[in-house]
Amino acid sequence: MKIIKIEKVQWASGLGKASNAFRLIGPVKEKEFYSFKPLADGLLPELNFQNSRLSPKSIVYPQSEVMLTYSLDESREDHHLMKEAAKDYSPKAVIGIRPCDAKAFMLVRLNFDTAEYQDPYWLRAYESTTFVGLGCEAPCSSCFCTTAGCGPYHEEGLDVLLADAGDHYLAKVLTEKGVKFLEAGGWKTAAAKGADQTIASMAKAAEGKITSFVQTDNLKSLPNNDLYSAPFWEEASFACINCGTCTYSCPTCWCFDIQDETRGSCGVRMKNWDSCMYPLFTLHGTGHNPRGTKLHRVRQRFMHKLKYFVDKYDRGIQCVGCGRCVRLCPVNIDIRRVCTTMNGFAVSGEACEIT
């Protein structure tokens, strides 16, 4: 595996060169929070951050996305015909994405790229994106990535992994996309012998700073109906206010709605993020709602992430342990406690309290 040394004094000029071949996106501080934004006009990514408040999933999967356009003006030959909206799928590079967020795209792809169905909008955006990850030196206290199939230096889903080595970065090249990005930036200096051991040592040190964990080993073994009917769901859902913060901040939530919006004779068909936490999400045209209470909705969220996904894909839980939902939930519902409770129920088959 090739490792390139990037002197920090050459970082800005290299990004300037790379911007000729890639649209650059990176973390930018807005007040007290960091968000992933286009890096226009020489703006540099601010890499001295723990993680962004919202995940960068919107880079591939926008919160609102126009798919088709149409006209109702019957004087036009193309009236009442749906046409694919123009989009920019030119190469882009996401600089400084955390390994947990890159891994999340791999889990989401299981839904948008199946043998039967492919979402062309998600796939084109994803394939045109190069992910340049940044190893996580200071995990948040709520991060539990090491027990969620991930880690501070996890490589899955990345094209390049950057390790901050003081006055330089060690760039571990993982894919051909990564090769092209580094070449575009003019970074060609091979790292000194032993760089791979240096990165491994940094990864081990970062993993040692993780203080939060979940138990998942028994989730697959319990029948769905037993866990669905478990007695702890009322307590788990009691405080929920159905705000949807957990789903909007989560890098692996993928639910969406499709709506037609018409103004005058012009209209669009658009895809919008949706949330299983919202009462309208499952409301039928008849007025019946199969998930009419917050208990139903909270149970669905956790059963999907921690049981249904596990059973269907056998790829672990639908979570990378970023801890955003833990930090941002206004009523302190904690996926770590729910996961451990579910896992414990799988062992004992008895009522467990959410502790």
Side-chain angles (χ1 to χ4, degrees):
M1 197 75 68
K2 182 184 293 186
I3 299 177
I4 300 296
K5 181 180 180 180
I6 303 176
E7 299 287 353
K8 288 189 177 178
V9 294
Q10 300 173 341
W11 178 240
S13 61
L15 287 179
K17 295 176 184 176
S19 67
N20 294 320
F22 295 86
R23 292 178 289 135
L24 301 184
I25 299 168
V28 176
K29 191 172 185 180
E30 300 177 316
K31 296 183 179 179
E32 68 269 36
F33 298 110
Y34 288 85
S35 301
F36 279 81
K37 299 289 186 180
L39 302 175
D41 301 323
L43 182 65
L44 295 177
E46 300 185 44
L47 301 183
N48 57 337
F49 74 118
Q50 282 188 304
N51 209 348
S52 56
R53 177 173 51 165
L54 296 179
S55 85
K57 69 179 178 183
S58 61
I59 294 169
V60 169
Y61 177 34
Q63 185 170 342
S64 291
E65 179 179 21
V66 174
M67 301 186 297
L68 304 168
T69 62
Y70 57 87
S71 173
L72 303 180
D73 183 353
E74 296 190 3
S75 66
R76 295 178 50 170
E77 291 185 2
D78 62 352
H79 69 86
H80 290 84
L81 295 178
M82 292 281 189
K83 294 186 175 182
E84 187 170 355
K87 296 183 184 299
D88 185 358
Y89 292 117
S90 60
K92 58 183 177 290
V94 184
I95 316 297
I97 187 172
R98 290 301 187 188
C100 57
D101 288 330
K103 165 68 181 291
F105 283 108
M106 306 303 291
L107 300 184
V108 173
R109 183 166 189 163
L110 296 173
N111 179 68
F112 287 122
D113 184 16
T114 71
E116 296 83 13
Y117 305 104
Q118 293 82 40
D119 184 319
Y121 306 100
W122 192 95
L123 285 170
R124 290 174 197 160
Y126 179 80
E127 295 296 347
S128 67
T129 306
T130 298
F131 296 96
V132 182
L134 178 66
C136 188
E137 291 299 317
C140 300
S141 61
S142 54
C143 293
F144 54 98
C145 55
T146 53
T147 47
C150 199
Y153 277 73
H154 196 73
E155 298 176 1
E156 188 179 2
L158 289 174
D159 300 296
V160 177
L161 174 62
L162 297 177
D164 190 337
D167 62 354
H168 65 278
Y169 294 112
L170 294 173
K172 189 173 185 179
V173 187
L174 302 171
T175 69
E176 282 301 312
K177 279 185 178 181
V179 171
K180 292 178 180 178
F181 173 77
L182 293 176
E183 288 178 347
W187 297 302
K188 301 177 181 179
T189 304
K193 186 177 180 180
D196 53 343
Q197 287 86 1
T198 299
I199 295 176
S201 296
M202 295 172 72
K204 185 175 182 180
E207 289 172 4
K209 298 176 183 178
I210 300 288
T211 59
S212 186
F213 312 97
V214 293
Q215 299 171 357
T216 64
D217 54 313
N218 296 305
L219 292 172
K220 192 172 177 63
S221 64
L222 188 73
N224 277 317
N225 286 345
D226 290 358
L227 195 53
Y228 182 91
S229 303
F232 54 75
W233 291 117
E234 184 170 355
E235 182 181 354
S237 63
F238 176 77
C240 182
I241 57 175
N242 293 142
C243 66
T245 297
C246 53
T247 55
Y248 272 57
S249 62
C250 176
T252 66
C253 278
W254 58 50
C255 291
F256 63 87
D257 186 25
I258 293 178
Q259 297 178 339
D260 287 353
E261 299 282 350
T262 303
R263 182 174 182 179
S265 61
C266 298
V268 298
R269 177 163 292 178
M270 61 194 306
K271 180 196 294 183
N272 304 298
W273 288 0
D274 207 344
S275 173
C276 59
M277 292 291 95
Y278 296 156
L280 293 179
F281 183 74
T282 49
L283 182 64
H284 293 185
T286 63
H288 171 64
N289 194 335
R291 297 188 202 134
T293 71
K294 63 182 180 181
L295 185 152
H296 290 97
R297 295 188 282 274
V298 170
R299 177 173 58 192
Q300 166 63 22
R301 169 171 164 76
F302 290 122
M303 285 289 287
H304 186 198
K305 287 196 171 295
L306 306 175
K307 180 57 179 170
Y308 304 149
F309 183 91
V310 173
D311 291 348
K312 181 174 181 178
Y313 296 108
D314 197 22
R315 289 279 301 271
I317 58 177
Q318 190 195 353
C319 174
V320 291
C322 71
R324 286 185 178 91
C325 63
V326 177
R327 295 190 294 274
L328 296 177
C329 178
V331 294
N332 298 316
I333 294 176
D334 193 327
I335 192 173
R336 298 170 299 180
R337 294 198 294 266
V338 175
C339 183
T340 298
T341 298
M342 290 172 66
N343 194 71
F345 187 84
V347 174
S348 65
E350 299 174 357
C352 301
E353 293 184 357
I354 303 290
T355 57

